[in-house]
Amino acid sequence: MTTTTLDHEITQTVRRAAERVRTALGQDTGDRVERALVRTLTDTITVDDDGAFVITGDIPAMWLRDSTTQMTPYLRLVDRSAGGSAALADLLWSVVARQFRLIEHDPYANSFNREPDGAHYDDHDLNADPLVWEQKYEVDSLAYPVTFAHALWRATGSEAVLDERAHRVFRTIVEQWALEQDHDRSSYRFVRPGAIATETLARDGRGTPVAVTGMTWSGFRPSDDACTLGYNVPANLFAAQALLAVAEIARAVWQDDRLADDADVLRSAILDGVARYGVVRGPAGQPVYAYEVDGLGGALLMDDANTPSLLSLPLDAPDVLDPELWAATRSLVTSPANPYWFSGTVASGIGSPHTLPNRIWPIALAVEGLVSASGERRRELLRLLAATDAGTGDMHESFDVDDPAQYSRPWFSWADAMFCELALATAEDGVDGAAPDA
């Protein structure tokens, strides 16, 4: 584990934010927020010449997705118009700089080592790249750094990290998503010998068959499990949101109309593909977003706790989703119609095929709160999250709906960040991007 010494300005900024939470939501919630915000900064981040390297908490590797979500609560603390911390903003930009370096190194990888030491997920991995921890291609791994950089740029006005490398990376992302609209043209393969089905791709690493739809293909879900069908709908909507950010930065920062136009064209194609293939009939006959489709008639009606999810779309794709479709979809995925909705004596919520049955995820509970317009529902979920930590003070990956002492991953920094995000949003009485309760 690494330990970082916090700048005094950052320490004071975090303390003030936690105090606002204490005032609004009580001592315990504020203490939890302060502890989690400090621990993420001190125990997950190492800063070196290549930028800030962020581990997940209990795994010594940096995921492009997790490192973004771990930093997301701090975006509330760097807005220059609200007197945000410049030192904290510099640290967040350092994370973005590292993410861009890693994407440039391998845009198909989802997670990386701090140094090229050859560490990796599994001894059977065939990827010989010593900097790559795992090369599971996930659309969201590219969308998260883009949307985070865009949010940080809007909050701070800084363009320091939006340099030539960032310009190349944005172009790479657009080109890769365009290439993967027709996956048969791609050379990407992922095979893990002897692995269970969710840890490898069918057809010699190509994945299950798909038609060309306009959407962009993904080998793996945000859970790191293999896609059952090749087009993950929430990831495609998240990509469409990220392409709006690409286009805006391309025009405003780099004066690159060609990149912006390419991003706009790709976004339109993805959204058309989602509308034509990713919207299906729910159990009651109502139109809803599917979780995955293949363009060949196959569709999965479900949701997964990991984001982007169907439930999290108002947070991840606020400018491109259809609000009425999402409201119907939310009703489906927060009910027994979702095979990964679990309910027990202690809690109810969304879990994942990535973990055991009857396990729900604090991440999904936090998302449920963040997309709710009800302050009381948010407070109720914060109380539930605090009550189901098995007395550890930390958020876990998942816990049993009848016995929270049965949980996975003792310290999952992403889940800590989601608790903080929900608490901060509730304390501020903000409902940014949220839709009214159905």
Side-chain angles (χ1 to χ4, degrees):
M1 180 181 294
T2 181
T3 301
T4 300
T5 301
L6 290 187
D7 177 280
H8 177 72
E9 177 187 315
I10 295 176
T11 300
Q12 292 302 111
T13 299
V14 168
R15 187 166 295 153
R16 286 193 296 270
E19 194 56 41
R20 290 194 294 272
V21 174
R22 290 186 186 96
T23 299
L25 301 172
Q27 186 73 32
D28 180 68
T29 302
D31 289 350
R32 285 172 178 271
V33 166
E34 183 166 4
R35 178 175 180 268
L37 290 177
V38 169
R39 189 181 188 191
T40 293
L41 293 175
T42 57
D43 291 1
T44 72
I45 298 176
T46 302
V47 180
D48 55 34
D49 291 342
D50 291 331
F53 188 85
V54 185
I55 65 171
T56 67
D58 54 1
I59 301 174
M62 179 169 174
W63 263 255
L64 294 170
R65 171 185 57 254
D66 292 39
S67 60
T68 302
T69 55
Q70 288 167 260
M71 296 298 108
T72 295
Y74 305 102
L75 282 172
R76 297 177 177 273
L77 313 181
V78 299
D79 192 326
R80 61 178 177 173
S81 65
S85 167
L88 182 55
D90 288 343
L91 182 60
L92 299 189
W93 276 120
S94 186
V95 174
V96 173
R98 187 62 160 257
Q99 290 176 328
F100 288 165
R101 285 178 179 271
L102 296 175
I103 293 171
E104 187 170 50
H105 180 81
D106 185 350
Y108 279 100
N110 60 322
S111 52
F112 298 83
N113 299 312
R114 181 185 170 196
E115 299 174 346
D117 56 14
H120 46 264
Y121 170 86
D122 189 283
D123 288 340
H124 293 102
D125 280 359
L126 300 182
N127 181 7
D129 188 331
L131 191 63
V132 172
W133 173 270
E134 195 171 47
Q135 199 199 33
K136 287 180 173 177
Y137 176 53
E138 302 160 357
V139 167
D140 68 282
S141 291
L142 300 178
Y144 267 117
V146 168
T147 55
F148 187 72
H150 178 262
L152 194 51
W153 170 62
R154 294 289 296 270
T156 67
S158 173
E159 299 178 4
V161 178
L162 299 177
D163 54 13
E164 283 305 309
R165 172 177 279 114
H167 195 174
R168 292 194 302 270
V169 165
F170 276 40
R171 166 57 66 185
T172 294
I173 290 170
V174 171
E175 290 175 350
Q176 184 160 302
W177 283 345
L179 171 66
E180 293 295 347
Q181 288 178 295
D182 185 356
H183 179 56
D184 283 346
R185 296 190 296 129
S186 170
S187 62
Y188 174 77
R189 303 288 184 271
F190 187 93
V191 176
R192 180 167 284 157
I196 60 175
T198 57
E199 288 294 321
T200 191
L201 295 183
R203 295 197 305 151
D204 298 319
R206 291 176 293 168
T208 55
V210 293
V212 175
T213 65
M215 288 181 283
T216 189
W217 177 89
S218 188
F220 293 85
R221 297 171 178 170
S223 63
D224 298 336
D225 288 345
C227 291
T228 300
L229 306 175
Y231 297 118
N232 184 279
V233 173
N236 268 271
L237 288 167
F238 189 27
Q241 183 73 36
L243 288 164
L244 282 172
V246 170
E248 184 179 355
I249 289 175
R251 291 189 174 102
V253 178
W254 301 316
Q255 291 77 53
D256 186 345
D257 288 335
R258 180 180 176 185
L259 174 57
D261 291 346
D262 288 346
D264 288 339
V265 169
L266 180 57
R267 184 186 75 253
S268 294
I270 288 173
L271 291 176
D272 181 64
V274 169
R276 291 170 57 203
Y277 296 94
V279 178
V280 299
R281 294 288 173 180
Q286 77 280 27
V288 295
Y289 287 119
Y291 184 72
E292 285 174 2
V293 296
D294 57 13
L296 300 168
L300 282 181
L301 282 177
M302 58 165 282
D303 203 14
D304 190 292
N306 295 266
T307 62
S309 61
L310 293 172
L311 185 62
S312 74
L313 286 176
L315 309 175
D316 297 318
D319 299 314
V320 297
L321 88 164
D322 182 310
E324 292 186 7
L325 268 176
W326 177 78
T329 305
R330 180 177 68 167
S331 295
L332 184 152
V333 302
T334 56
S335 79
N338 173 10
Y340 300 101
W341 170 265
F342 301 117
S343 186
T345 58
V346 174
S348 300
I350 298 176
S352 171
H354 191 70
T355 48
L356 294 172
N358 294 318
R359 297 278 183 101
I360 63 178
W361 287 47
I363 286 172
L365 293 174
V367 168
E368 186 183 345
L370 286 164
V371 300
S372 173
S374 167
E376 180 49 42
R377 179 57 177 158
R378 289 182 171 193
R379 289 172 171 81
E380 179 184 350
L381 287 164
L382 284 166
R383 291 191 292 269
L384 178 62
L385 286 165
T388 53
D389 69 353
T392 65
D394 298 316
M395 296 296 106
H396 304 127
E397 179 187 51
S398 69
F399 64 87
D400 188 276
V401 293
D402 297 310
D403 181 10
Q406 303 298 316
Y407 59 83
S408 58
R409 299 183 68 170
W411 178 34
F412 192 28
S413 181
W414 179 5
D416 272 352
M418 293 302 296
F419 178 88
C420 293
E421 181 70 0
L422 177 58
L424 290 166
T426 305
E428 295 169 8
D429 289 325
V431 202
D432 294 345
D437 282 335

